Amino acid sequence: MSSASSKKVTVERFEREAVHGFANPISFGTSDELELLSVAGAVQLLRWPDIRAVRFVREFQSAKTVERQAFLTRPKSSGLWVRMQFRDGEFLEGVMPNNLLLTEPAGFTVTPPDTSGNTQKVYVPKSALTGMQVLGVVGSPLVKAKKKDAGSKSQIGLFDGS
């Protein structure tokens, strides 16, 4: 494992407690296991079917803090606003890039609703999901705001004598 490209992560697993460590995001989806360097310095191999989500975090936190799982209003950042349904019945909303070339074959990387929290990005393997729904397209380049024509006479003038 190359330490130069390793990121701080918290790995959430189904029916087990979370594991903190360092992972190389470039290797996601290239094998059947996630190679995780634990905080103690030991390398662990975690099977992808057991993993619920890999959270890229600012700091390791000992107690599980509940972060917001859904947006309170329409997201401001551009991309696809999605809701992912996990196998355990829970869900997570996020924003992912609106570019099919950036979609990874084995999972999805999304920006979570609370960007000011500890979690910066979340990688969710496809094996952890039962469904995924696009809730909206934010900042689409196809829809442009119409500019008002200053010379247009679409409205009558009240005081100009016409």
Side-chain angles (χ1 to χ4, degrees), residues 23-86:
N24 185 352
I26 296 172
S27 66
F28 287 9
T30 58
S31 69
D32 295 338
E33 297 174 324
L34 168 66
E35 187 176 306
L36 183 75
L37 178 63
S38 69
V39 179
V43 175
Q44 294 179 321
L45 297 175
L46 304 173
R47 293 177 2 96
W48 282 111
D50 298 335
I51 295 174
R52 185 175 183 270
V54 179
R55 294 182 177 268
F56 294 90
V57 295
R58 290 183 173 94
E59 298 296 327
F60 297 127
Q61 296 179 346
S62 57
K64 182 178 180 180
T65 58
V66 177
E67 293 185 2
R68 199 167 61 227
Q69 302 296 309
F71 288 98
L72 300 175
T73 60
R74 185 175 178 87
K76 303 287 187 261
S77 57
S78 62
L80 295 176
W81 175 18
V82 296
R83 173 178 283 172
M84 297 175 285
Q85 183 78 34
F86 291 101

Side-chain angles (χ1 to χ4, degrees), residues 139-144:
S140 172
L142 298 177
V143 180
K144 297 190 181 203

Side-chain angles (χ1 to χ4, degrees), residues 10-13 16-20 36 53 61-62 64:
T10 298
V11 180
E12 294 179 4
R13 300 181 294 177
R16 292 188 181 174
E17 65 182 48
V19 179
H20 304 292
L36 183 75
Q61 296 179 346
S62 57
K64 182 178 180 180

